[in-house]
Amino acid sequence: MKTHKIEHIKSLINKYYAGLSSKNEEKHIAKFLINNPDLKGFEAERAIFGYFYQHKQKKTYFINRYLKYSVAASIAIIMTTTLILKMSNQTRAYAWVNGKKISDIEVVKALAQESLSNVSVNADIIENTLAPFKDNNHKIQEQLSVFSDVELLTNDDEH
Amino acid sequence: MNIKIQILTLLFILTGLGFAYAQSGTEDLHTDKVFTAYGKAKGSIRVELDLRDDEGYYYKSLVTENNQKAIILAKSCIEKDKKNAKRVKEVYSDGKPTTIYLSLNPKDGFYRFILFNDNGRKKMTLVYIESENKDILKIILKKQ
């Protein structure tokens, strides 16, 4: 081990005890002590920085575990949702009558027909309402056809 | 790092929920509120029929009786959805809309229709139809 490196670490440790060291310097001390476990004269510091290092290791482990669980849970949620949706798509025929659920497809279809009949009756109303206008439209066309010759004459005059 | 993981987890969950939500046809419509609010109420009949694989359409309807609040909500929601409609047909009786047909702008290649009827005797029918066939409404109504 190079003496100047040890001296540098010692100065950093002194700085640490004086409360003047930066985080990077503390990391540097910790890294040095971990990489040189057999170096004598640093037992107290090794205990201090070793504690912090262990603490940090535990935190990393917790994060890794949390990440694994999160990803697993997310995949499970997505897969379950997909499965439920696929299953529900196969037999998605439901009706609620007064809040009571019915899943018999024939009953549901009958209810659908019934509800649709309420609006289809009115579809005829629209057609019926428009019918007089259609008739009028024919009449207007007929009446205007009388003037079609006039239009041709007007065009000839222009030339 | 911790925040990144939390965001990632949240994104995964939201993707799953979004996927689930995207399957429903009316979720982006104001009319959806009516189905949600009165679908399971007393005096209501709500139908949800997914026949996209068999007959090529998705059908959702709600019939309410003696529920003036439902009629008011449906009318106000339809009024809002009307802004995104391609075609609108309305029948008025005594100055009030009794039948409304909305042909909405297609979404993801699906043609969407809203049909509403207020029979004037406190009975309301609200129908939502979705299909890849633009003439589906004619086909279904002809079957009647």
Side-chain angles (χ1 to χ4, degrees):
Chain A
M1 178 62 55
K2 287 176 182 174
T3 326
H4 74 272
K5 207 170 185 180
I6 295 169
E7 288 304 315
H8 174 64
I9 291 298
K10 275 182 180 174
S11 71
L12 286 179
I13 288 168
N14 289 334
K15 221 174 157 185
Y16 171 76
Y17 285 132
L20 301 169
S21 59
S22 70
K23 281 198 173 176
N24 275 341
E25 286 169 334
E26 285 165 22
K27 272 184 190 174
H28 190 66
I29 300 166
K31 203 176 171 183
F32 175 82
L33 293 172
I34 289 156
N35 291 338
N36 301 285
D38 300 326
L39 199 68
K40 287 179 181 175
F42 293 97
E43 284 77 18
E45 289 77 21
R46 196 168 282 116
I48 295 165
F49 287 97
Y51 168 77
F52 286 129
Y53 178 73
Q54 271 184 352
H55 190 68
K56 200 180 166 186
Q57 283 283 86
K58 274 185 184 174
K59 197 178 172 186
T60 313
Y61 172 70
F62 173 74
I63 289 167
N64 284 339
R65 196 173 56 175
Y66 183 72
L67 178 69
K68 277 179 193 171
Y69 286 148
S70 306
V71 171
S74 304
I75 290 167
I77 288 168
I78 292 167
M79 281 179 75
T80 313
T81 313
T82 314
L83 197 69
I84 289 167
L85 285 168
K86 276 198 171 183
M87 280 172 72
S88 63
N89 267 348
Q90 282 169 0
T91 53
R92 211 162 130 186
Y94 297 114
W96 286 266
V97 180
N98 291 322
K100 198 180 167 189
K101 194 176 177 180
I102 297 167
S103 50
D104 184 334
I105 191 155
E106 293 307 318
V107 178
V108 175
K109 276 187 175 179
L111 288 167
Q113 293 273 337
E114 203 179 311
S115 59
L116 200 58
S117 68
N118 296 335
V119 285
S120 64
V121 167
N122 285 274
D124 295 339
I125 289 174
I126 290 182
E127 290 301 317
N128 294 338
T129 317
L130 290 171
F133 293 103
K134 281 178 185 170
D135 291 343
N136 282 340
N137 197 28
H138 285 300
K139 281 174 189 166
I140 292 164
Q141 291 286 333
E142 273 174 35
Q143 286 168 2
L144 283 174
S145 66
V146 180
F147 300 103
S148 60
D149 296 338
V150 178
E151 195 187 350
L152 285 169
L153 284 169
T154 325
N155 287 340
D156 288 342
D157 289 346
E158 280 174 6
H159 292 292
Chain B
M1 184 68 180
N2 206 7
I3 293 166
K4 276 183 186 174
I5 293 160
Q6 282 174 349
I7 291 167
L8 194 73
T9 313
L10 196 68
L11 277 173
F12 267 117
I13 292 165
L14 287 175
T15 311
L17 289 173
F19 183 73
Y21 209 47
Q23 299 296 308
S24 170
T26 53
E27 86 284 350
D28 61 324
L29 302 173
H30 292 278
T31 314
D32 191 60
K33 287 177 201 163
V34 191
F35 287 104
T36 313
Y38 296 104
K40 293 172 188 174
K42 200 182 171 188
S44 294
I45 299 173
R46 181 184 155 176
V47 176
E48 201 172 340
L49 201 56
D50 192 348
L51 299 172
R52 276 178 284 203
D53 294 337
D54 310 324
E55 295 177 38
Y57 68 91
Y58 169 77
Y59 179 93
K60 198 171 176 177
S61 71
L62 175 70
V63 179
T64 64
E65 282 190 81
N66 299 316
N67 196 336
Q68 198 59 31
K69 281 183 182 176
I71 297 173
I72 293 165
L73 179 67
K75 281 183 180 175
S76 71
C77 288
I78 288 171
E79 203 59 39
K80 287 172 189 168
D81 284 331
K82 210 192 276 180
K83 288 170 190 166
N84 296 317
K86 204 166 65 173
R87 285 180 71 197
V88 179
K89 282 185 183 179
E90 287 174 298
V91 177
Y92 279 75
S93 176
D94 295 328
K96 290 174 186 172
T98 53
T99 302
I100 306 169
Y101 286 74
L102 300 186
S103 174
L104 303 170
N105 286 313
K107 186 190 165 196
D108 303 327
F110 284 93
Y111 294 91
R112 310 159 84 202
F113 306 92
I114 294 172
L115 298 96
F116 169 83
N117 175 255
D118 172 7
N119 76 346
R121 295 184 296 278
K122 293 180 181 176
K123 186 178 177 181
M124 174 201 81
T125 306
L126 181 65
V127 175
Y128 170 83
I129 298 168
E130 182 183 292
S131 175
E132 282 179 313
N133 184 354
K134 66 176 177 180
D135 296 321
I136 192 68
L137 205 57
K138 287 177 191 171
I139 296 164
I140 297 173
L141 290 173
K142 267 184 187 173
K143 278 185 184 176
Q144 290 291 307

